[in-house]
Amino acid sequence: MHHVEIKSPVSFPVNVARLPQKGTTVVVEATEAQRAALAEEHDLLSVERYHAELLVTKWKRNGVKVRGRVEARITQACIVTLDPVEAVIDEEVEGVFLPEDSKLARHGFNAAGEILLDAEGPDSPETFTGDTIDAGALAEEFFGLAIDPYPRKTGASVATAGDDIEPVESEFQKKLRLISKKL
């Protein structure tokens, strides 16, 4: 079976085999076509601006650390009215990558091969093969996580089902009401 890797619309491969001592800066300023692809990928009406600035540095012996920021201006559909809702994304990006064969990459596993995660701790390192990582795809992950899953236009509210329906009085409630009137 042939494995097809899905590339990020803002993919930015970085060769990590020859990283300078101070690291390398990656700047992604999405083109109109990339912004349209991001909007489609994340179910948005539009992405007006997308900018990521990242620093890729060596980490420990053979790992790579990516730190930076992703900023965007997006338009989503209100979950109540479907009217456009504008939003600004300004999110820190941080990730660690380790070669697939690294002993550190297996550090988070117990003897049974299960992954041990700390919900409050840092994310587990991602692994990579070869000598490149996709810094742009990492920035897109943080962009996607920052999108409000339930955008709502100011003042829009969801009426609870049945709010405008008169409550139906059961036979028991009727009898109870009649008895309480007689008392």
Side-chain angles (χ1 to χ4, degrees):
M1 186 172 155
H2 183 45
H3 181 265
V4 178
E5 186 175 321
I6 300 171
K7 280 188 114 177
S8 165
V10 287
S11 180
F12 197 108
V14 176
N15 185 327
V16 296
R18 296 188 183 103
L19 274 178
Q21 193 62 33
K22 292 182 179 180
T24 188
T25 301
V26 171
V27 177
V28 179
E29 192 70 49
T31 64
E32 188 176 331
Q34 288 172 316
R35 292 191 316 268
L38 282 168
E40 185 176 332
E41 182 78 24
H42 295 279
D43 202 21
L44 304 170
L45 297 178
S46 64
V47 176
E48 292 81 34
R49 181 175 180 273
Y50 179 96
H51 175 85
E53 193 161 330
L54 311 165
L55 179 62
V56 182
T57 57
K58 293 180 181 180
W59 184 78
K60 300 216 179 211
R61 189 174 191 195
N62 53 2
V64 178
K65 187 169 197 162
V66 180
R67 295 184 84 159
R69 184 157 225 91
V70 62
E71 300 168 330
R73 202 170 59 248
I74 63 173
T75 302
Q76 300 174 265
C78 172
I79 62 166
V80 179
T81 65
L82 298 181
D83 289 339
V85 177
E86 293 181 0
V88 173
I89 291 175
D90 185 0
E91 198 71 20
E92 282 189 42
V93 174
E94 187 170 343
V96 174
F97 294 84
L98 293 170
E100 195 172 56
D101 59 352
S102 169
K103 290 179 183 174
L104 286 173
R106 293 186 297 272
H107 179 69
F109 293 87
N110 66 14
E114 297 169 325
I115 298 175
L116 305 173
L117 297 175
D118 177 4
E120 301 299 318
D123 289 343
S124 296
E126 294 187 38
T127 58
F128 66 95
T129 55
D131 57 1
T132 60
I133 63 165
D134 192 341
L138 178 68
E140 184 192 351
E141 283 180 38
F142 282 83
F143 164 79
L145 291 170
I147 296 171
D148 183 354
Y150 305 107
R152 189 177 293 184
K153 186 177 177 179
T154 305
S157 66
V158 180
T160 306
D163 276 357
D164 57 346
I165 300 171
E166 290 289 324
V168 178
E169 195 173 38
S170 70
E171 286 300 316
F172 175 75
Q173 290 170 323
K174 285 180 189 176
K175 289 179 183 177
L176 190 59
R177 184 174 45 83
L178 291 172
I179 292 171
S180 62
K181 278 185 179 178
K182 290 181 181 177
L183 295 175

